[in-house]
Structure formats: C-alpha cells, structure tokens
Amino acid sequence: MLSAAVAAWNKGDGETYLELYDPSVRHHGLGSVSFDQAANRAFYEGVWAAFPGSRLTIDDTIAEGDQLAVRFHLSGEHHGEFMGVPPTGRAVILNGQTAMRFRDGRVVERWTSSDLLGLMIQLGAIPAPGT
C-alpha cells in the first residue's frame, strides 16, 4: 500500500493516489477540523498544483496491526499559489510525520503533522527566527 502511494505520487498520478483513501476517510492535523474525502482531495490537489512534480520520500515506517506510522519528506519547487503565497520558484523540502489506520487496504483515518512553519520560511513568506 505504502509503495503504491509513493509510486503514484512520484508519477504525478493523483487519481491513483487518492483511490488509496476510503470514501469515509477522516484526515486530521491539516487544519482546525478533520477533512472528509472531498476536503482531502482538495488539499492534495492544492499541493500538486503548488508543487508540480514534487517527490515523496519515506524516511521511516513503523507498522502494527491495521496502523502505519511514517516519517516522510516532500521535495519540489514552488510553481503555484500555496496557502496564499504566490509562486516563488524556490526549491523546498517539507518534513512530516503521519499515522494511518487501514480497513480493507484503504486509509480510513490519517493524522498528519508537517513542518509548515519551515516551509513558509523556505518560501520567504515569513522571516526565519533571529533574522
């Protein structure tokens, strides 16, 4: 499942990537409320538009039963608006962690924490601490 997700992401095949989520999915940690399937799709489509051709790399995994925890990084260039920041053309790396729960081979629940502060600093949207 994880290798299929990485392969789909890195091929730019968003539809196959999103098929790995169950229609009942709840995605937590990307905003003040959890995302349903439609909001999950909109979030990822926004990432792909802002960072086309981005590469997903899995750094560590821990699996137990129906759950999988992953430490990852996403690398790419900023070529579309992201969270109100216009395209900068800058190369970025976004580090994050996610934990997923599966049912019948599809993600039904996901909890994600990503270094969005670090990303905004890389984009020049906010100054680095101490500067």
Side-chain angles (χ1 to χ4, degrees), residues 62-127:
I62 300 171
E64 185 177 312
D66 65 350
Q67 296 187 47
L68 175 66
V70 177
R71 187 174 58 83
F72 66 90
H73 71 271
L74 186 68
S75 57
E77 292 184 0
H78 183 218
H79 292 289
E81 184 176 320
F82 183 72
M83 297 180 72
V85 180
T88 63
R90 293 181 179 188
V92 298
I93 296 176
L94 174 65
N95 295 300
Q97 300 82 212
T98 193
M100 296 168 276
R101 188 172 60 80
F102 294 84
R103 183 176 57 234
D104 299 324
R106 296 173 91 183
V107 178
V108 292
E109 231 173 342
R110 182 172 178 172
W111 298 263
T112 300
S113 176
S114 298
D115 183 13
L116 292 176
L117 174 61
L119 179 62
M120 290 297 142
I121 291 169
Q122 292 175 68
L123 296 176
I126 58 174

